[in-house]
């Protein structure tokens, strides 16, 4: 086989492997946990049908008196968003969705009807598509009610 044929096979193999790689979610989920990443005791992941991996939560930001955490599912194929109102931790919300190569992962509606969306790394939130949304963290968009 000539060199050109080998080069074509090598390119096809690399593209094939790239197509098989699964998304890992926002990079923040790969960093080491700190004390501030602990979820409040009122957030009981046992009673939630989201399959969140214990200890995987990472505090992203606090905005408008709500703490926003990202977490991994125990299977690793999903990313989760958890919102916990400061002073009202019993009104927390959580949701998970399968990781994909798209921009948005999961959107939660808060107890006050505001919305928060967990987004993948590198999303340009300045595009018209996101008019009305505020980027409160590189991985979180917020829209008031």
């Amino acid at each position: 086989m000539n060199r050109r044929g080998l080069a074509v096979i090598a390119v096809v193999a690399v593209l094939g492997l790239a197509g098989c790689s699964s998304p890992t979610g926002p990079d923040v989920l790969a960093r080491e946990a700190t004390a501030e990443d602990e979820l409040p005791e009122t957030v009981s992941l046992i009673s939630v049908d989201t399959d969140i991996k214990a200890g995987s939560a990472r505090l992203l930001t606090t905005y408008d008196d709500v703490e926003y955490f990202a977490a991994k599912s125990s299977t690793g194929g999903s990313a989760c968003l958890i919102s916990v109102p400061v002073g009202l931790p019993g009104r927390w919300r959580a949701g998970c969705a399968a990781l994909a190569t798209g921009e948005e992962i999961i959107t939660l509606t808060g107890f006050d009807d505001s919305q928060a969306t967990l987004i993948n790394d590198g999303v340009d939130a300045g595009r018209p598509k996101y008019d009305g949304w505020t980027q409160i963290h590189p991985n979180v968009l917020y829209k008031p009610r």
Side-chain angles (χ1 to χ4, degrees), residues 5-142:
L6 288 175
V8 169
I9 290 172
V11 168
V12 169
V14 168
L15 291 174
L17 288 174
C20 293
S21 65
S22 57
T24 58
D27 288 344
V28 69
L29 293 173
R31 76 164 166 77
E32 289 294 318
T34 65
E36 70 179 3
D37 293 322
E38 280 216 27
L39 291 168
E41 289 180 12
T42 56
V43 178
S44 173
L45 301 179
I46 295 169
S47 65
V48 179
D49 188 27
T50 54
D51 198 25
I52 296 173
K53 181 178 179 179
S56 71
R58 300 294 181 264
L59 178 64
L60 302 177
T61 190
T62 301
Y63 183 81
D64 203 19
D65 288 330
V66 177
E67 292 178 318
Y68 293 95
F69 296 84
K72 296 178 189 177
S73 67
S74 45
T75 61
S78 297
C80 310
L81 180 63
I82 305 164
S83 65
V84 183
V86 175
L88 299 170
R91 293 191 173 184
W92 61 274
R93 303 277 194 269
C96 299
L99 291 169
T101 56
E103 295 182 348
E104 298 97 19
I105 299 170
I106 182 83
T107 298
L108 293 179
T109 300
F111 73 94
D112 63 353
D113 291 328
S114 64
Q115 293 182 313
T117 299
L118 181 65
I119 57 175
N120 276 309
D121 295 327
V123 171
D124 178 5
R127 295 189 349 245
K129 172 182 181 176
Y130 297 113
D131 284 350
W133 291 85
T134 301
Q135 189 165 19
I136 59 174
H137 178 274
N139 298 109
V140 181
L141 300 176
Y142 173 82

